[in-house]
Structures are given as C-alpha cells and as structure tokens.
Amino acid sequence: MFIKDIKVFVCSPGRNFVTVKVITDTGIFGLGDATVNGREMAVVAFLQEHVAPCLIGRNPHDIEDIWQYLYRGVYWRKGPINMAAIAAIDMALWDIKGKVAGLPVYQLLGGKSRKGVTLYAHANGESITDTLDKAEALISQGFKAIRLQSAIPGLKVTYGVLGDKKDYFELQGNRPLPPEEDWSTAKYFQMIDELFKQARARLGDEVQLVHDVHSRLTPIESAKLGKMLEKYNLLFLEDASMAENQENYRVIRQHTTTPMAIGETYNTLWDCKDLIQEQLIDYIRVAATHAGGITSLRRIADFASIFNVKTAPHGAPDLSPICLAAHMHLNIWAPNFGIQEFVGFGNEQLQAVFKHSVTVENGMAMVSDEPGLGVDFDEDAAKELPYKRSYLPVCRLEDGTVWNW
Ligand code: EZ4
Ligand code: CO
C-alpha cells in the first residue's frame, strides 16, 4: 500500500477550512484538518509545495516515521503553519489505518476508557441576565458544564460576545481586514465577580462553570482574578494569561486554587512542558490540528497524565469536524481526559460539506464505531463555497496600545 496523491482543499461553509485528503493506491483515503484561522492559504501553500511531494510513494501505515520525518527530519521545527500541516497528514494516516483495520481510531489507541465524552457548551450574552438565560437553556438541554462570557459594559466589543447578535460560529469568518476591539482590565473586573455571583445564585452549585479570559490579563491580575472567583468553584479559568514565559503561571499558582487551563494555540509538547511538569496548570487544551495531530496529542496526554494534568481539547468553530472527530477518539481513550469544549455542529452548509458521525446526548458526545475517524468530505459541495479572506480581531487598550487578543 502506498500514498498515491495528496489533495488540499480550502472552502468556506460560513468560515474557512483547510482539508487534506491522502489517497492511497487501494482507493482508501484519509482526511485531515489543517485550518489555521486567518492564515489558511499559508498552510495550503506549505502543504502543496513542501510537504505533499515528499510523501508520494510512502507507506501510509508508517505514521510514526512520517511524523518524525516531517518534524525531527526538518531543520525548521514547530510553528503553527508547520504543525497544522503535519497534523493534517497525521490525522489522515490514522483515518487510513482505521479504515484498513476496519476499526475506529480509538480502538487503535487502546480502546474506550469511558462511556462518552463530557462537553462544556458556551453561553455568550449581551448582559449577565442574557448570559444566564442562555446557560439555563443549555442546562435544560442536558449540558453539565457551561462556559460563561458576558459583554463588558463600556467596551465596544467583548471576546465571545457579538454586538450584532450573529452566531458565534460566524464571528471569526468573512472579514476582509482585521476588525479592532478594545480592552479595559478595570472594566472587566467590575463585571466578572457579578457574573459568577449571579450564576451560582441562578444556576445552583452543581453545574460546572468555565470562563475564558482569552489572555487579556497579566499574571498578577490573573492571580487576583483566580482568588476572587474561588468562592464560585470554577472547573477552570481558560487562558488567564499568556505563557510565552511558562514561569508566568508560577505567579498565578502561588496565589490561587482556581484551576487553570491553557494550550489552544500551542503547537508542540515543548510549549507546555514546564507548565505540565511543574504542575502549574490543571488542564492542557491543545488541539489536534494545531499541535501536530493524533500522534502528538497522544504523547502530550501521556506526559500530562504523570503530572495530574487532564486534557481539555480546544473546540472552537475554526476547528473542522475532522479535528473534532480526532479529539473524540483521543477523548474516549485518554485515561486522563477531562472535558471537551463544544460549540455545536455548525450551520447547514458546514454539515453538508463534512458528514460526521458524532452525536450528543445529555451533554455528552458519543463516538461511532465507523472505521477510521468517521468523517466524510463532500468535494462538490466544498467547491461551491470558495475561500474568503478573513481575520481574527486585533485588540487595543483604551489609550490605543495594541494588546493581547
Ligand atoms: O478565539 O479559536 O476557546 N475558544 C477560543 C476560540 C479562539 C479561536 C481563535 O481562532 O478561545 O474562540
Ligand atoms: Co479559548
């Protein structure tokens, strides 16, 4: 069996996705997600010009060797574009191996560790009341864990919340130039305690609560926030501060017992090695697409397991259903799986392009026993929905200084 062709598709069913199809001489093919939000065409060019030609003729079963060839074998390591390309090839090869074996990928990883995958859903509101109305609706649908985001009074736009009331799914697509947002830590601190105070009063103590700070705070501000929210018993705070300096989390950790989660932008184990090894975080949020695929995420999960760190994979709308499927197989296997972020299955166009087999019951996702990853890609439907240049927003402080988005 050998790799005969590698095709790269970019389509926009509401937002852009880069999809890789690895085709073998037997007709069996595998699919991978290579979407890097706002940098899609860089990955397309990288895959077509620098990755695909090296793999034609190779045995698709040599997943580990191909991963090492593309990572260790290359002088230029790491980076989101490079790792998303490696990730997509890796997912496609696991998909192929599963199809050849007639087994779902989770069986190849070691089988099921649990019945289903617990999800956290998003409640994003224009006001605290609006956020909690949405949270109540999600709880009545069966979700046991909810991420709460609420607009910050006095700021134009708040991360995760939409002034124009469009779907969050569309938030990150179809913008020809980067929009700008503003940030004030002081205004945020005036809102955030009240959000969780009212949340516990209205939603009770049982529901698991999460909040995404989206890296807007300095480490000492995150420490203060973690301490302030301790009484509301969060499952975790997501991306409290940036950790380009991994030691930033020592500052946070020495002040608060609010659990910390980070990693959605990380590309390798090296980006979170100290955070995990020093037990500075509680959940590692790496995504299969952005951190080198299933081979890499399995290694990170195993490393994390010996330091009491659980996995909580990123689940935003810019990860395609192929990535969600890869996460599902990892989640159902990983002994140290924590929780999966979930924003729904997207619009009708998206569901027409990507046919997946994940179902949700009572806040839990179920993985099917279809061989491989269990996703199909409709090339004709994708062709009708061409790429549109789009960007994530850029953030500024009220005095105009560029800040973390
Ligand atoms: O902003 O995926 O937890 N989810 C997030 C996302 C990210 C986008 C960036 O591409 O933080 O909404
Ligand atoms: Co996040």
Side-chain angles (χ1 to χ4, degrees), residues 61-227:
H61 281 305
D62 296 345
I63 298 178
E64 188 66 52
D65 183 68
I66 290 174
W67 197 95
Q68 297 294 338
Y69 180 84
L70 294 173
Y71 182 81
R72 180 178 290 262
V74 173
Y75 190 52
W76 310 107
R77 294 187 187 186
K78 308 200 221 174
I81 307 301
N82 179 42
M83 296 311 290
I86 297 177
I89 298 289
D90 184 78
M91 281 180 221
L93 298 182
W94 280 98
D95 194 18
I96 291 170
K97 199 183 277 298
K99 286 173 179 170
V100 172
L103 292 170
V105 167
Y106 75 82
Q107 293 292 12
L108 308 179
L109 294 169
K112 280 190 190 183
S113 296
R114 53 191 58 78
K115 292 185 289 195
V117 167
T118 303
L119 305 168
Y120 70 93
H122 286 194
N124 308 311
E126 293 298 315
S127 63
I128 292 175
T129 306
D130 184 23
T131 302
L132 299 181
D133 288 347
K134 287 174 176 157
E136 274 182 346
L138 290 165
I139 291 168
S140 67
Q141 288 169 38
F143 287 99
K144 311 279 189 293
I146 321 265
R147 187 188 91 159
L148 302 179
Q149 307 294 134
S150 190
I152 300 169
L155 294 185
K156 278 185 303 202
V157 199
T158 305
Y159 162 76
V161 179
L162 282 172
D164 55 8
K165 307 232 189 263
K166 272 207 211 150
D167 194 332
Y168 171 75
F169 173 77
E170 290 177 271
L171 166 66
Q172 293 151 340
N174 305 334
R175 296 172 178 202
L177 284 172
E180 295 206 357
E181 296 184 354
D182 51 356
W183 177 256
S184 156
T185 297
K187 289 181 173 137
Y188 172 69
F189 268 92
Q190 280 164 29
M191 179 278 288
I192 194 70
D193 187 77
E194 194 57 29
L195 171 63
F196 281 91
K197 189 164 145 197
Q198 291 190 29
R200 281 301 176 207
R202 257 183 80 176
L203 311 175
D205 289 332
E206 209 170 312
V207 64
Q208 306 264 33
L209 298 178
V210 168
H211 173 68
D212 192 347
V213 186
H214 225 271
S215 306
R216 298 294 195 276
L217 300 180
T218 65
I220 198 67
E221 289 165 350
S222 287
K224 185 174 155 191
L225 177 67
K227 227 169 150 174

Side-chain angles (χ1 to χ4, degrees), residues 37 147 159 168 172 212 214 238 264 314 316 318 341 405:
N37 202 357
R147 187 188 91 159
Y159 162 76
Y168 171 75
Q172 293 151 340
D212 192 347
H214 225 271
E238 181 172 318
E264 62 184 54
H314 192 204
D318 50 303
E341 182 179 26
W405 186 77

Side-chain angles (χ1 to χ4, degrees), residues 55 100 125 178 195 208 214 224 231 234 251 314 320-321 323-324 350 384 390:
L55 303 181
V100 172
L195 171 63
Q208 306 264 33
H214 225 271
K224 185 174 155 191
K231 54 187 176 294
L234 270 63
V251 174
H314 192 204
S320 93
C323 179
L324 178 67
L350 179 104
E384 301 297 313
S390 86

Side-chain angles (χ1 to χ4, degrees), residues 265-309:
T265 62
Y266 293 173
N267 311 129
T268 68
L269 173 57
W270 305 105
D271 298 339
C272 47
K273 181 179 78 64
D274 299 346
L275 290 168
I276 293 172
Q277 196 165 263
E278 292 186 35
Q279 306 192 42
L280 300 178
I281 56 168
D282 302 278
Y283 294 86
I284 181 67
R285 302 197 62 257
V286 280
T289 300
H290 301 127
I294 293 170
T295 297
S296 182
L297 254 68
R298 177 180 61 170
R299 199 156 282 136
I300 293 171
D302 275 339
F303 180 73
S305 75
I306 54 177
F307 299 104
N308 304 306
V309 175

Side-chain angles (χ1 to χ4, degrees), residues 368-379:
S368 87
D369 278 341
E370 266 180 62
L373 291 174
V375 188
D376 246 323
F377 179 69
D378 186 330
E379 290 179 38

